[in-house]
């Protein structure tokens, strides 16, 4: 069957879009859907402990969000918003700029007295390839001049930038947070590990391609942007051993799913690897490695809701979302979570 973008539409009242994160992190709500029994339960996120068993493997994405939003100015004083998307080399980046007309090839713009860039090219989809010039360490300058790249549907100011990072964030490189992981606290992770659950860390640097609206009517015509991923030797061994022994691999977030499914062979085994993935998961899809999923509630008609639908079925995900709307769950990045077993 060829699905249309409109097949993944649902109606969401704007008041249910979460504007701020909850404190503590694990106090958000949790919708639990058990596929084997076709049963739904409504819990608090910290109750996830009760659904995890000794021998399970929890796969987390330990990418770290860069303070990727900056503002440059032209020689005539005009402002240009610059959003880092993907590192292409030491000083070369793919960036999103607004307005684009001020960023023609060859143009140099200044962000601060210690950071400027020159536009070297324009991609087919309109992003700029730029080369930065600076003195010192790029990441340190970024901390001074950049801000967290919150999604446009979040209008409230984020008081603490760390709330848009997971507690296990380690490797700089993302333009957006792997938001399913935002619900975990160090204490909850320690309790889970104490139960005999293994935690395997993988890496996928989240680009805005993951969140780009699907413009084509037929979803198979949509082209995913490429994102960099890595699975280290230790994580590969933990995951593959679990698959061999018939234990559950539970992905924390759609980015962890995409990493696992990009790397896995037909048995669900993974090896130490790295590369770029453009994997687009939508129903019907046979999951090779991920047995269950922890995820947030995603935008209507997005590739993310399509991925979750591949695990639950399209009609079921729409009914679960309708139930979440009816019960006034909080949606999107700072919203509540769902566990699909």
């Amino acid at each position: 069957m060829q699905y249309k973008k409109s097949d993944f539409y649902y109606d969401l009242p704007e008041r249910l879009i979460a504007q701020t994160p909850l404190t503590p992190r694990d106090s958000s709500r949790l919708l639990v859907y058990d596929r084997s029994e076709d049963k739904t339960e409504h819990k608090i996120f910290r109750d996830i402990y009760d659904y995890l068993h000794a021998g399970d493997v929890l796969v987390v994405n330990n990418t770290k969000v860069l303070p990727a939003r900056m503002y440059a100015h032209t020689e005539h004083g005009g402002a240009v918003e610059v959003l880092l998307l993907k590192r292409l080399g030491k000083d070369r980046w793919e960036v999103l700029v607004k307005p684009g007309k001020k960023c023609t090839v060859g143009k140099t713009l200044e962000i601060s007295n210690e950071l400027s860039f020159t536009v070297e090219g324009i991609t087919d989809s309109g992003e700029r390839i730029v080369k930065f010039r600076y003195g010192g360490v790029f990441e340190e300058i970024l901390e001074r001049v950049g801000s967290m790249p919150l999604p446009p549907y979040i209008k409230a100011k984020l008081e603490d930038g760390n709330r848009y990072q997971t507690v296990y964030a380690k490797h700089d490189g993302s333009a957006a947070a792997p938001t399913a992981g935002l619900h975990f606290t160090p204490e909850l992770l320690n309790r889970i590990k104490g139960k005999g659950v293994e935690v395997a860390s993988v890496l996928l640097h989240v680009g805005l391609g993951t969140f780009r609206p699907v413009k084509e009517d037929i979803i198979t015509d949509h082209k995913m942007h490429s994102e960099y991923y890595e699975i280290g030797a230790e994580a590969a061994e933990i995951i593959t051993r679990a698959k061999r022994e018939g234990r559950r691999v539970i992905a924390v977030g759609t980015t962890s799913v995409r990493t696992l499914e990009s790397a896995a062979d037909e048995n669900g085994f993974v090896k130490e690897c790295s590369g770029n993935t453009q994997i687009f998961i939508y129903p019907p899809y046979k999951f090779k490695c991920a047995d269950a999923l922890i995820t947030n509630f995603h935008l209507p008609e997005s590739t993310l809701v399509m991925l979750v639908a591949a695990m639950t079925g399209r009609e079921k995900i729409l009914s679960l979302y309708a139930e979440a709307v009816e019960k006034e769950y909080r949606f999107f990045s700072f919203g509540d979570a769902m566990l699909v077993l």
Side-chain angles (χ1 to χ4, degrees), residues 295-307:
T295 187
N296 277 21
F297 293 92
H298 304 293
L299 275 75
E301 301 184 337
S302 65
T303 61
L304 304 174
V305 80
M306 292 171 192
L307 184 152

Side-chain angles (χ1 to χ4, degrees), residues 5 47 90 103 123 139 222 239 241 243 246 310 317-318:
K5 175 177 72 169
D47 297 333
K90 184 175 179 293
C103 293
T123 69
E139 286 75 11
H222 177 71
I239 293 160
R241 192 168 64 243
K243 295 304 286 186
I317 199 63
L318 292 178

Side-chain angles (χ1 to χ4, degrees), residues 111-241:
I111 290 168
S112 72
N113 56 9
E114 53 185 347
L115 183 64
S116 64
F117 66 87
T118 300
V119 180
E120 294 189 337
I122 302 176
T123 69
D124 291 342
S125 47
E127 287 83 11
R128 269 46 177 184
I129 307 301
V130 305
K131 182 167 185 176
F132 284 100
R133 288 180 177 76
Y134 54 91
V137 179
F138 182 74
E139 286 75 11
E140 291 176 2
I141 296 170
L142 204 55
E143 288 290 340
R144 289 193 287 274
V145 303
S147 62
M148 276 294 170
L150 293 179
Y153 51 75
I154 294 177
K155 315 293 184 195
K157 187 177 187 301
L158 182 63
E159 298 301 332
D160 177 6
N162 283 326
R163 291 306 310 272
Y164 196 57
Q165 303 279 18
T166 61
V167 295
Y168 45 76
K170 191 172 181 183
H171 301 289
D172 282 325
S174 277
T179 54
L182 296 178
H183 304 281
F184 285 96
T185 63
E187 295 77 17
L188 179 58
L189 281 168
N190 285 335
R191 279 187 71 217
I192 288 168
K193 289 175 187 172
K195 197 177 191 178
V197 175
E198 292 184 276
V199 177
S201 296
V202 299
L203 175 72
L204 183 137
H205 285 324
V206 188
L208 289 190
T210 302
F211 305 97
R212 278 191 188 286
V214 176
K215 292 179 179 170
E216 291 77 8
D217 188 36
I218 304 297
I219 66 169
T220 48
D221 293 338
H222 177 71
K223 296 285 186 291
M224 290 288 282
H225 274 54
S226 160
E227 292 170 315
Y228 177 77
Y229 73 92
E230 277 180 18
I231 299 180
E234 184 185 356
E237 185 188 342
I238 291 170
I239 293 160
T240 296
R241 192 168 64 243

